[in-house]
Amino acid sequence: KPKCPPPCSGDKTYIMIPENIRARITSDLSEMEERYGIEIVYSCESGSRAWGFASPNSDFDARFVYKYSKEKYLGISPPGENINLPINDELDYSGWELRKFLRMLGKSNATPGEWLQSPVIYKEIPEFRKNALELARHFHSHRVGLHHYLGLASNSFKKGIKAEGFDIKKFFYVLRPVLAARWIVERKSLPPMQFAPLRETIKDSRLNNELDLLLEQKIKALEGDTAKVSEMIVEFVKNEIIRCTAYAAEVKTERKSTERLDAFFRSLI
């Protein structure tokens, strides 16, 4: 695999972003900073391109975390917590205000942890990703994570079934959460964002071969395309949902002080 150049983090898998797209996203982020009076402290790619199974017509999903000036935070009106722009051509932008991002991180919401592990970074202030990811690992709750990923997997499994087979895009929206839940059960840690490292827990060569074949189909598939999924993969998914659900029922949620989040927020404003 080629080495991933800055500003891409590239811990596991190198994701190629065309230079014209990267330049356009960088320009749009700067424009948003000026338009909304914010500073973007972190921006990354999310969705199927970052997960490692993009289709030919997949959008670029740029996600970002932003902050306001100290004066804005000291005013009587709370600043806006979300910036969502309509999809423009193939670009999809969505951002969370810093306090919301840290609040969700403290609740073990999966989104902050995934953004912080993206293989593609569009913008970052020094040390933000490193320090925020340390917090995400500290506040990660096995129980919350399992319920989130199992919920995603179950809902996508039902929506993806069609008479002619599975909607292949939705089936990967089943597979990735199932593997993330499996990671939590077996590794007892924050699961990786990308599909490839999530597969490290699977040692069955036959199952891995079946997943390779399905992944090849997914990468070539367009929106709405269906595929016949092998019985081995379907059974694996069903069994893992049952196993991980049973494990989640036994796990307790540990409450943790938000002092570290408060300190991190104050250090940034």
Side-chain angles (χ1 to χ4, degrees):
K1 297 173 184 176
K3 185 178 180 181
C4 185
C8 167
S9 62
D11 289 340
K12 291 290 183 181
T13 304
Y14 177 49
I15 305 295
M16 174 64 73
I17 302 294
E19 285 305 314
N20 65 313
I21 295 294
R22 184 182 286 277
R24 185 175 168 190
I25 290 173
T26 300
S27 175
D28 287 347
L29 293 175
S30 295
E31 183 182 325
M32 278 187 271
E33 287 183 313
E34 185 174 347
R35 186 194 319 170
Y36 295 105
I38 60 174
E39 179 186 356
I40 292 174
V41 297
Y42 181 77
S43 178
C44 67
E45 181 67 21
S46 185
S48 60
R49 289 187 181 276
W51 295 335
F53 48 74
S55 298
N57 60 342
S58 292
D59 292 334
F60 292 88
D61 299 316
R63 301 294 179 256
F64 57 95
V65 183
Y66 62 93
K67 68 173 183 174
Y68 294 97
S69 65
K70 183 184 295 186
E71 289 72 24
K72 184 77 171 179
Y73 285 114
L74 292 174
I76 62 172
S77 299
E81 292 193 330
N82 301 279
I83 295 177
N84 297 295
L85 301 182
I87 296 177
N88 182 7
D89 296 330
E90 55 188 346
L91 302 180
D92 180 7
Y93 293 102
S94 181
W96 282 3
E97 184 269 325
L98 178 60
R99 285 192 303 185
K100 175 180 179 178
F101 179 82
L102 294 176
R103 194 165 60 246
M104 293 298 102
L105 186 155
K107 293 179 179 179
S108 193
N109 182 286
T111 297
E114 292 195 1
W115 288 5
L116 293 167
Q117 296 183 85
S118 174
V120 179
I121 297 176
Y122 296 119
K123 181 179 179 182
E124 177 192 13
I125 64 172
E127 300 293 296
F128 179 86
R129 176 180 176 272
K130 174 187 173 183
N131 294 329
L133 187 53
E134 182 180 328
L135 289 173
R137 288 174 174 143
H138 172 74
F139 284 97
H140 173 68
S141 162
H142 300 340
R143 183 182 179 89
V144 173
L146 284 168
H147 282 296
H148 168 76
Y149 285 116
L150 290 170
L152 285 180
S154 298
N155 290 335
S156 296
F157 194 87
K158 296 172 185 175
K159 293 177 182 177
I161 299 175
K162 296 186 177 181
E164 62 273 26
F166 283 98
D167 180 315
I168 192 165
K169 177 180 178 179
K170 287 187 172 62
F171 195 78
F172 270 81
Y173 288 177
V174 174
L175 270 177
R176 194 185 73 90
V178 162
L179 290 177
R182 177 184 169 94
W183 180 284
I184 294 172
V185 170
E186 299 199 354
R187 303 288 177 92
K188 308 294 189 295
S189 64
L190 183 72
M193 177 196 205
Q194 291 182 276
F195 187 68
L198 283 173
R199 290 178 57 182
E200 291 176 5
T201 61
I202 300 177
K203 306 304 180 184
D204 187 322
S205 59
R206 290 178 58 229
L207 178 57
N208 273 315
N209 288 337
E210 293 289 341
L211 290 172
D212 286 338
L213 293 174
L214 191 63
L215 183 59
E216 288 178 14
Q217 292 183 67
K218 169 61 179 74
I219 291 172
K220 297 175 183 176
L222 298 177
E223 191 76 26
D225 284 357
T226 60
K228 293 292 184 182
V229 180
S230 76
E231 189 62 30
M232 178 181 291
I233 295 177
V234 174
E235 285 303 307
F236 168 77
V237 166
K238 290 179 178 178
N239 290 337
E240 284 302 304
I241 289 176
I242 293 171
R243 182 172 79 102
C244 293
T245 299
Y247 181 87
E250 302 298 324
V251 179
K252 295 182 180 179
T253 300
E254 180 185 355
R255 292 186 178 276
K256 297 181 179 179
S257 168
T258 62
E259 288 182 5
R260 291 180 62 177
L261 297 174
D262 293 335
F264 185 58
F265 173 71
R266 294 185 187 114
S267 72
L268 293 172
I269 62 166

